[in-house]
Amino acid sequence: MPASPDPVVVVGGGVAGMAAAARLAKAGHAVELHERADVLGGRWAARELPGVGLVDDARGVLPFPAPWRDLFRKSGRPLEAELARSGHALVPAPPVRYRFADGTALSLPTERGAQQAALRPVVGAAAAARWQHLLDELDEVWLALRPLGLEYPLLGRRQLTRPVLARLHARRSLAWLAARLDEPRLEALVRSLAHRHGSHPERTPAFVAVDLSVSRRFGHWHLAAADPAARPADTGRSSVLAEALAGRLATRRVAVHLGSAVTGLEVVDGRVVGVVTADGPRRAAAVVVTTDPWQLVDALLPRDADPALRRRTHRLRPAAAPAVEHTALDRPALAVTETVELAADGTPVVSWARPVGERTVVSRHDHGRSRPDPGAGAAWRGWRSWLLRPPVTPGPAGLHLASAASAGGDGPSQVVLSGALASYACHDALDRAPDASRGDASGAAPAPV
């Protein structure tokens, strides 16, 4: 790797930025991270809420833990060992509880046989069989999606051949896929996936239902305190992961600058050579930007730096983020639970309840009161909007991107993977030559997904 006196600068201290910084530091680069807030973690940052206690706006139950495990393993101590040191563990979560508009309820495990046993008494044997067929079909969709923004970057239209698009049902909507189940409650459940991604079922590609396959394949997990009496506020608090990741940055000697807003990127002869902060310009060997793409093109990049990226970004729209409320109930919870209340059209209200001493803290995400939020990623507007999402390595050399708007998706683990892809592309470019321009190198697969 060519030596450089300048650090790699990471813009943004959310999950994507911390993931990229940890990997780059482990690869031997000097890394600076600038975060405009006074705490790391973004949506994952814990805060003290009067009358409630420590809360965060992250999901209380997490699917697909492999990228988190891969991140910690490849940047130092494995995740399980890191959590054990702080008195925590990642443990399986109970089945999700669904409450439908007609008053019926369903507790849906992730395991195949258990799902069928739970579904038949509620929706009947025929609908349960159609559900199983759908998930088996989505298992194939998952295999097709892995190299398209998860394990490797989505580089453009040439990867989306006709056979791939057909396998993904890319030209069909999630609403179409839901209607194939021919059962109103299951249809509402599938339609709810679009809302949970900040989009509408009629505009969301059918392959987004792969979430169901991922849940069945990898299960659902939550953070647990090894000794709840010693850490009463930690069980079910996903921000514990962000705190562990912040600790990893300290271990890897990443220079973290909190309250340090980056206001611009310096571009010379088509190469990003530094950033501008309130303290003045800072040179960089490369820059990884993990802010939302609209902030990148409207506030950070010079207007003439990448006109194509600007045009494609302005054709995107921000995803809708749910209204979030946290309340404390004066009764103990026995476990961390996820409850999804579904309207007839599939609009969900998702609640996570977790024990905090003798009380229960409930975090409620109401997608019926959602609003566009650039930090939530990019809304789906048909499968072609997939190609408008910002690439890992755009036009200017020395610039790499990761965020909830990346092609891999806006789920927590997918955002972790976007940071991995950006770090691999950055390391590869610096390793090839000090003046390497953008290319299609994607690095090794970041996670065993």
Side-chain angles (χ1 to χ4, degrees), residues 18 26 42 96 125 154 166 191 255 291 330 339-340 344 370 405 438:
M18 289 195 290
K26 181 63 168 64
V96 179
L154 177 63
R191 289 176 61 91
T291 66
D330 289 327
T339 302
V340 183
S370 61
R438 70 182 179 91

Side-chain angles (χ1 to χ4, degrees), residues 72 76-90 224 226 231 234 240 243-244 247-248 250-251:
F72 277 87
R77 186 182 292 107
L79 175 60
E80 288 76 8
E82 192 69 49
L83 292 175
R85 289 186 70 214
S86 62
H88 300 94
L90 194 63
R231 299 180 178 276
D234 284 0
V240 168
E243 292 159 5
R248 178 57 48 86
T251 300

Side-chain angles (χ1 to χ4, degrees), residues 15 40 123 134 167 186 190 216 233 260 282 306 341 352:
V15 168
L40 292 171
V123 301
L134 172 62
R167 190 178 184 187
L186 296 182
V190 173
R216 191 172 73 171
S260 177
R282 301 185 68 87
D306 193 339
E341 302 169 72
W352 291 279

Side-chain angles (χ1 to χ4, degrees), residues 200-381:
H200 297 285
E202 287 74 18
R203 296 183 179 181
T204 302
F207 60 74
V208 171
V210 77
D211 288 356
L212 300 171
S213 169
V214 171
S215 292
R216 191 172 73 171
R217 182 182 294 259
F218 297 103
H220 288 177
W221 303 75
H222 71 79
L223 271 296
D227 182 358
R231 299 180 178 276
D234 284 0
T235 291
R237 183 169 65 83
S238 296
S239 43
V240 168
L241 279 175
E243 292 159 5
L245 192 47
R248 178 57 48 86
L249 298 188
T251 300
R252 298 260 69 95
R253 298 182 179 178
V254 173
V256 175
H257 301 273
L258 298 177
S260 177
V262 171
T263 58
L265 303 180
E266 289 196 319
V267 181
V268 177
D269 296 331
R271 167 174 284 278
V272 175
V273 298
V275 301
V276 179
T277 71
D279 295 329
R282 301 185 68 87
R283 289 188 57 81
V287 177
V288 178
V289 174
T290 64
T291 66
D292 69 76
W294 300 276
Q295 183 181 1
L296 169 67
V297 300
D298 292 335
L300 300 183
L301 268 178
R303 294 196 63 82
D304 60 348
D306 193 339
L309 179 64
R310 186 180 304 277
R311 287 193 298 270
R312 65 192 283 178
T313 300
H314 286 161
R315 291 172 63 190
L316 290 171
R317 295 292 181 271
V324 180
E325 298 176 346
H326 304 279
T327 57
L329 308 177
D330 289 327
R331 61 173 183 265
L334 299 178
V336 176
T337 59
E338 179 177 349
T339 302
V340 183
E341 302 169 72
L342 293 172
D345 66 355
T347 304
V349 176
V350 187
S351 299
W352 291 279
R354 59 187 179 91
V356 180
E358 295 301 313
R359 307 171 78 196
T360 298
V361 170
V362 179
S363 298
R364 190 171 186 266
H365 290 211
D366 188 347
H367 291 267
R369 296 191 294 123
S370 61
R371 293 187 176 184
D373 181 350
W380 285 106
R381 303 177 76 191

Side-chain angles (χ1 to χ4, degrees), residues 13-14 35-42 45-46 256 258-259:
E35 165 56 43
R36 64 183 175 182
D38 60 0
V39 64
L40 292 171
V256 175
L258 298 177

Side-chain angles (χ1 to χ4, degrees), residues 46-58:
R47 65 184 186 277
E48 184 75 28
L49 191 63
V52 178
L54 280 179
V55 298
D56 60 56
D57 291 345

